[in-house]
Each structure stands twice: as structure tokens, then as C-alpha cells.
Amino acid sequence: MRTAVMIGSLGAFFNLYQLQALFPQLSHRFESTIADAGWLTLASLLGMTVVAPIAAIITRRTKPSAVLVTGFLTLGVLNALIAFTTSHAGLFFLRLVQGAALPFLLTATMTLVSGNPLRFVPLYVAGTILGSTLSRLYPAWSVDTLGWESGFLGAAGLMALAAAALNHLSRINVFAPGTGDLHPPSPGASVRFAMSDRTLLIAYLSGFALLFTQSTVFTALGLWLSQPPHAWTSERIGTLYLACLPALFFVLSAHVLRRRLSETTLASLLILLSWLALWVLATRNTSPYIGVGLFATATYVFQTITTRILSTSVSVPPSVATGYYLSFYYLGGAIGATLAGYSFSAWGWQGVLACLATLQALGLYLCIWLKHR
């Protein structure tokens, strides 16, 4: 089961940020501008935002193993199509469809996580870290080294391999029986409970702010480093995200922090750490690897808090709670990716930080208002 959870979260996130470190190739192959790069990142996030609640309703009656195998085969086909597209509009459409497929994988994986949250939440988040890192690193390396077509065909092969592994796990009965929701509440009741539970609403808002922050920072960072005086190559930008990997240690040991600190205190400390990381990134004499490492630690440990809230939901099935959470989560990411391109091109790094400060202040106010309403 642990292997299935890791493959599900890692494989889904592997497809999410594939273009974030590829601005030089996008500029050459598709004549993309900085603003266009933001829209291409938005495409997959927008697809996830729209489809996530629908995916939650569909997957709650289906075996997670079937959803995961079908989903990874679909992603393999989409990566193969991306390998041969030469149109900017075609690439945007394929990324949109790719994003629409991801919620099925994540809600099915969350159904597995809900069977034992204490054991599986850290593994789920660890998979998102590895997947997000490889999502930027693998395309940057493969496209620079092998070319656009071979790089994305390789990604298609990895998705087929994930589907084969999950199919094998399902045949040897690794998936726990009864992980599908056989007697779910009606769709109307699920919507009512999912949107009226105060704790879940706070988790939704926190997820929106979390991915808005991540998407804005990492999109702007890729654009910033690709421009003079840095002029980093895509491969070098991709290696920067290896600095996210030390966050794995803190995610896998986050239960120790949660035992010693309340969720509110821990969340406040993580927000402060994220702004320390942004200060480091804005300091020209400091290595960006340090800033990315600190930022990844703050945001990914924060993600363990929201994931645990979803996985222990009692008012609605965890897959349904996850579906609505993903809509807020990826809506934040879509808006962040778009604003990052526009604000960076207009005002530079300082404009990006101003957008983050405004959004986070508003999100914090709404969470406090919901908690004390």
C-alpha cells in the first residue's frame, strides 16, 4: 500500500510543473513570451481546478487501483502527444487536458491515505515533493540533453511504467479491500457538508494560499534566473529544485512537531520561515539553493497539516473533501502562475513579493474570521 501511495502522488505531481524550467525551449520552439509561459503553467492548474470536484464524485464509486492505472496510461498518451506538438495553442490544450486527468489520480490516492492517515500522510506529501522536484528537473535535463521529442517520449514511458507497477500491485492484492467508498452520501449532501464544515473551509483557503505562493515563487524564479545577468540554462534551473529534497526529512518527521506544537503555532512558524526564504532569494549575495531549500521546507511541512485535515474528515468522504480542496488549491496555483508572469515582467521580483504579501494577508484574515465566526 505504501508503494501505491508513493507512486500515486509522485506520478501525478511529476506531470504538473513540466514547463516551469523550460522557458528557453518554449521561447525557441513556440516563440513564447514571459507572459505566455505563465499561461502554459496555468493550463494544467486550471484543468485541475475545474475537474477536481467531478473527479471526487466519480472516484468515490470506483476502485482506486483502476483509477490509478487508467490515469497513468492517459498521462502517458498525453506526454507522447506533447512530444510532437509544434503549436502554442496545441500545447496549451494538451496541458489543460493533462491537468484535468490529475485530480482522478490524487483523489484515488487520498482514498488510500484515509485508510491510515498517521502512516500514509507523510508518504503522500513525500511523493508530492519528489514528484514536484522531478517535474522540473527531468524535463529540464531531458529536453536539454535529448531534445524536446525524446524528452517527453521518455516521460510517456515513465507513466506507462507507473501504470504497469500499479497494475501488478493490484493483482497481488496490495490494495486494501473496501478502500472504495461503496455507500457514499448523495452528491447534494456531499456538497453541502464539504462547503459548510468550518475546518474544511479553512483547509481549502489554506490550500489556495499555499499553492498560490508556491506557483508564484517557482514560476517567477525560473523566469528570473533565465534572464540576464543570470542567464541560466533550463538544465541548471532544473537542478535548483534539488534543493527541495531536504524537505523530505522534515515532512517525514512532521508528526514530532505536531505533537509538540498546536497546528496554529506550527502554521505561523512555517509562514515566517517561508518569508525568511523569500528574503534569502531576494538577496543577491546568497545562493538561491539555500532560499529554495528553506522555502520548500516551509511549504511542504505546511502541506502535511492540510492533508491530515482532509484525510481525517468525518463529515464527508476524504476523496470528496480532497476534490474540493484540490479545486481551491489549484485555482490558487493557476492564479499565482499567471500573476507571476505579469507581475515579474512589469515590476520584477519586488512585484512578485507584493502579490504574495497581499494574498497571504487576505487569506489569513479569512481563516481567522472562519475560526471565530
Side-chain angles (χ1 to χ4, degrees):
M1 183 73 79
R2 282 182 285 189
T3 303
V5 170
M6 283 290 290
I7 292 175
S9 59
L10 189 158
F13 273 78
F14 177 83
N15 291 267
L16 192 54
Y17 303 113
Q18 289 174 319
L19 306 183
Q20 215 164 52
L22 294 182
F23 179 68
Q25 284 79 7
L26 293 173
S27 178
H28 175 73
R29 186 180 177 92
F30 302 99
E31 299 182 351
S32 301
T33 64
I34 288 177
D36 291 336
W39 278 98
L40 287 171
T41 301
L42 174 144
S44 59
L45 299 171
L46 185 60
M48 296 188 76
T49 301
V50 173
V51 172
I54 303 170
I57 294 172
I58 294 174
T59 57
R60 63 185 182 161
R61 295 183 180 273
T62 310
K63 290 182 178 180
S65 56
V67 175
L68 289 169
V69 171
T70 303
F72 278 115
L73 289 175
T74 301
L75 290 174
V77 172
L78 291 171
N79 273 282
L81 291 174
I82 289 174
F84 296 107
T85 186
T86 56
S87 160
H88 188 279
L91 180 60
F92 181 90
F93 174 75
L94 289 172
R95 289 290 291 164
L96 185 69
V97 178
Q98 201 173 24
L102 298 183
F104 292 93
L105 298 172
L106 292 174
T107 53
T109 305
M110 186 56 73
T111 299
L112 302 179
V113 171
S114 65
N116 192 335
L118 186 63
R119 183 182 179 190
F120 293 144
V121 164
L123 290 173
Y124 175 88
V125 179
T128 69
I129 296 173
L130 289 170
S132 297
T133 302
L134 291 172
S135 180
R136 299 170 176 108
L137 178 62
Y138 172 81
W141 168 81
S142 63
V143 171
D144 258 6
T145 305
L146 306 174
W148 182 276
E149 291 85 359
S150 297
F152 278 95
L153 284 175
L158 290 173
M159 295 300 97
L161 184 62
L166 288 165
N167 184 61
H168 173 70
L169 291 173
S170 69
R171 289 179 180 276
I172 61 175
N173 296 319
V174 165
F175 292 87
T179 50
D181 188 3
L182 301 178
H183 302 288
S186 67
S190 293
V191 172
R192 186 169 63 254
F193 290 135
M195 299 306 294
S196 61
D197 186 297
R198 196 176 305 176
T199 301
L200 288 178
L201 286 174
I202 291 174
Y204 301 157
L205 289 172
S206 299
F208 178 96
L210 175 61
L211 198 60
F212 179 95
T213 301
Q214 281 186 331
S215 186
T216 299
V217 170
F218 286 140
T219 299
L221 191 61
L223 296 173
W224 183 44
L225 294 175
S226 68
Q227 304 298 305
H230 306 285
W232 284 20
T233 63
S234 290
E235 184 174 0
R236 189 178 178 189
I237 293 172
T239 61
L240 176 63
Y241 297 104
L242 288 173
C244 295
L245 295 181
L248 284 168
F249 169 79
F250 297 97
V251 165
L252 294 173
S253 59
H255 62 281
V256 177
L257 291 174
R258 287 199 300 267
R259 281 203 302 263
R260 297 176 180 271
L261 300 171
S262 69
E263 287 185 344
T264 301
T265 301
L266 180 57
S268 300
L269 291 174
L270 293 172
I271 291 171
L272 290 175
L273 179 60
S274 70
W275 277 97
L276 173 62
L278 293 174
W279 176 80
V280 170
L281 286 172
T283 304
R284 294 184 178 274
N285 295 327
T286 307
S287 170
Y289 289 88
I290 297 173
V292 169
L294 292 173
F295 182 77
T297 297
T299 53
Y300 285 124
V301 174
F302 194 100
Q303 189 176 336
T304 66
I305 299 173
T306 57
T307 303
R308 183 162 176 78
I309 292 172
L310 298 171
S311 64
T312 55
S313 169
V314 294
S315 59
V316 294
S319 62
V320 176
T322 300
Y324 288 99
Y325 171 81
L326 290 176
S327 286
F328 281 83
Y329 186 70
Y330 290 109
L331 178 61
I335 295 173
T338 307
L339 285 182
Y342 283 110
S343 60
F344 181 81
S345 61
W347 304 294
W349 191 247
Q350 299 304 317
V352 173
L353 295 180
C355 285
L356 289 176
T358 302
L359 185 281
Q360 287 189 6
L362 179 60
L364 183 61
Y365 169 79
L366 289 174
C367 287
I368 292 173
W369 176 76
L370 281 170
K371 190 169 184 178
H372 298 286
R373 186 178 62 175

